[in-house]
Amino acid sequence: MISRGTGPQRDLYLVMLQTCNQDNRQRDDRPAALQLAVAEVMTLSLALWERLTGKGKVSLAGNSGLWNVHINPDGWERTQTLDRYLKAETVPKHPNVSRVEKTAWWVLSHGTDSSHTGPCDRLQTAVSRLMALA
């Protein structure tokens, strides 16, 4: 360990401490950026799916086979895990990026109509940003 003495040793100590703190801040920012990117891809995927099919998240989860659909005793269908991926605040700290990417590409594979090129392009761009962070 480097002592916190005076002169060159102290200067070296301060530089190392500052570098370490910067590295930690960058590492702390990465999960937040990843969570934002995941939520963006999922919300864009859901929006495009709704636009293409007129159906909601239960339909997306069930038809894609990528997300579980839970059915309550009263018949109400829930997409509990998919729901967590729709808001950055609720995205898990270690999200399943592969599943999110597969969801986006699955939705994009259904968006062949030229009237949906804008939303498709936005989703493809968001997926690219997500994969750069993952």
Side-chain angles (χ1 to χ4, degrees), residues 22 38 72 74 87 93-94 103 109 116:
Q22 287 173 347
V38 163
N72 287 349
D74 63 359
K87 294 181 183 175
K93 288 185 180 183
H94 302 288
T103 302
S109 72
H116 301 293

Side-chain angles (χ1 to χ4, degrees), residues 12-104:
L12 179 60
Y13 172 77
L14 292 174
V15 167
M16 289 177 65
L17 183 62
Q18 183 180 12
T19 302
C20 187
N21 286 340
Q22 287 173 347
D23 289 346
N24 286 337
R25 275 194 300 274
Q26 288 171 349
R27 271 189 240 121
D28 290 344
D29 291 345
R30 188 174 176 275
L34 183 63
Q35 289 169 313
L36 282 170
V38 163
E40 179 185 24
V41 168
M42 286 304 296
T43 55
L44 289 172
S45 296
L46 179 58
L48 181 57
W49 177 253
E50 289 172 343
R51 189 171 176 174
L52 292 170
T53 65
K55 297 179 181 179
K57 60 186 174 184
V58 172
S59 171
L60 170 61
N63 288 322
S64 70
L66 295 167
W67 303 92
N68 291 329
V69 177
H70 302 280
I71 302 173
N72 287 349
D74 63 359
W76 184 59
E77 297 174 314
R78 305 184 299 131
T79 55
Q80 190 172 5
T81 306
L82 187 147
D83 289 347
R84 285 198 312 244
Y85 281 71
L86 293 173
K87 294 181 183 175
E89 304 85 40
T90 58
V91 170
K93 288 185 180 183
H94 302 288
N96 188 333
V97 175
S98 174
R99 186 187 300 181
V100 172
E101 180 188 20
K102 287 176 185 175
T103 302

